[in-house]
Amino acid sequence: MENTFKYDEFYYKTYTIPYDEKEHWEKFFGLIADRIVKDIGPTTVLDAGCASGYLVAALRDRGVSAYGIDISDYAISKVREDIKPYCKVGSIIEPLDKKYDLIISIEVIEHLSAKDGRLAIENLCKFTEDFIFTSTPTGYGEPSHFNVNPTYYWAKIFASCGFIRDVDFDCSFLTDYAIRFKKTKENISEIVCQYERAYYLVDLENKSLRSELINAQRSLENNCKYKSEKEDELQSLISERDRIKRELEDAEKSLENYKNHYNAAIGQRDDFERRLLSSEEKFLNKEKELENIKNSRGYKLLLKYYKFKSLISLKSKL
């Protein structure tokens, strides 16, 4: 093998999610095993590149005769004790000891060189007629990835081995780019029919989604127009509100001035009332003084004196 990358303790403990986090991986591979049992129902399975054997254990726990093979001594040493007899260190490029109902390769081939990747697929395809395959098409940042390619690259290699995609099987429970390849004995016309049928359904769905997208865009444009109109209305209302606020502020200032004038007038009125009361009081006092004078004996004598004097003056004129 050209690839000499070491898949040792450091690799598995610094993996995106370390392989010693058993709870995570047991749950992850348990869900995959459930779908394999339910949707395919194989009797014998090989996990090619089994690492610490989580999928092998999950399948065996569900009654499937599962086996595993991996290049890493360290990974195989971490396989569950009761599963170790069914997992071994080995190369997937070398011939296997028997055939399997199903072979699974999950994120393995990208770790090999292009040459070894092709050899591994060609070798494994000799020992099964049913193959679930997944290899990242975008994982260029991983140092151990030497052979990252899109799915059609792998499909071409599988086709050269007589395997084509099962267009009716949904492998998305593994990854969105996982594929189930099956050995075919059909002639080219049948294969083309299957692919065209799958393409037709996908194209129909795409057209429907495109139509929905166009309608959504139109609706969005209408909503944006409506939003713009409402924003203009809102801006107009805000301007009107600001104008009313200014008028209210002016009215409040005027009211404050009126209040000041009113309070000043009240003060003047109170002053006039006090002065009026004082004048009335003086007037009453003068009336009392005058009444006392009128009722006094001297005043009465004085009146008699003036009357007498008036009579004398009148007589003298006659």
Side-chain angles (χ1 to χ4, degrees), residues 191-308:
I191 294 173
V192 170
C193 179
Q194 291 179 29
Y195 274 82
E196 284 299 318
R197 176 170 52 82
Y199 174 80
Y200 169 76
L201 294 174
V202 171
D203 186 54
L204 194 65
E205 182 180 12
N206 284 340
K207 287 177 180 177
S208 175
L209 291 174
R210 191 177 295 112
S211 177
E212 290 181 12
L213 178 61
I214 291 172
N215 290 335
Q217 287 176 332
R218 288 173 179 169
S219 177
L220 180 60
E221 289 172 359
N222 290 334
N223 288 338
C224 288
K225 182 179 179 181
Y226 177 77
K227 179 184 175 185
S228 178
E229 291 173 353
K230 291 301 176 183
E231 286 177 345
D232 291 342
E233 290 180 11
L234 178 60
Q235 189 59 46
S236 177
L237 290 173
I238 290 173
S239 299
E240 180 67 11
R241 181 202 64 185
D242 292 341
R243 184 187 64 78
I244 293 173
K245 282 177 68 176
R246 290 192 296 271
E247 291 181 356
L248 180 60
E249 289 172 357
D250 293 340
E252 287 177 344
K253 290 178 182 178
S254 297
L255 178 61
E256 189 64 28
N257 291 332
Y258 292 141
K259 284 181 178 179
N260 292 334
H261 290 308
Y262 173 76
N263 290 332
I266 293 294
Q268 291 178 347
R269 185 202 65 182
D270 293 342
D271 183 57
F272 290 148
E273 286 181 346
R274 285 193 298 271
R275 290 166 62 187
L276 178 61
L277 289 174
S278 177
S279 298
E280 287 179 345
E281 186 177 354
K282 290 178 180 179
F283 177 75
L284 291 173
N285 290 334
K286 292 299 180 181
E287 277 190 332
K288 287 180 181 180
E289 289 179 4
L290 182 59
E291 188 66 28
N292 290 333
I293 291 171
K294 286 181 178 181
N295 293 329
S296 67
R297 183 177 178 184
Y299 180 76
K300 290 177 180 180
L301 289 173
L302 184 61
L303 285 176
K304 288 180 179 182
Y305 167 74
Y306 280 112
K307 286 180 179 180
F308 178 72

Side-chain angles (χ1 to χ4, degrees), residues 13 41 62 77 89-90 110 128 132 139 158 160 169 176 182 196 200 223 240 249 269 312:
K13 287 194 173 182
R62 289 157 177 77
S77 73
V89 177
E110 69 270 20
T128 189
I132 290 181
F158 273 96
S160 70
F169 190 83
D176 58 0
K182 297 182 74 175
E196 284 299 318
Y200 169 76
N223 288 338
E240 180 67 11
E249 289 172 357
R269 185 202 65 182
I312 294 175

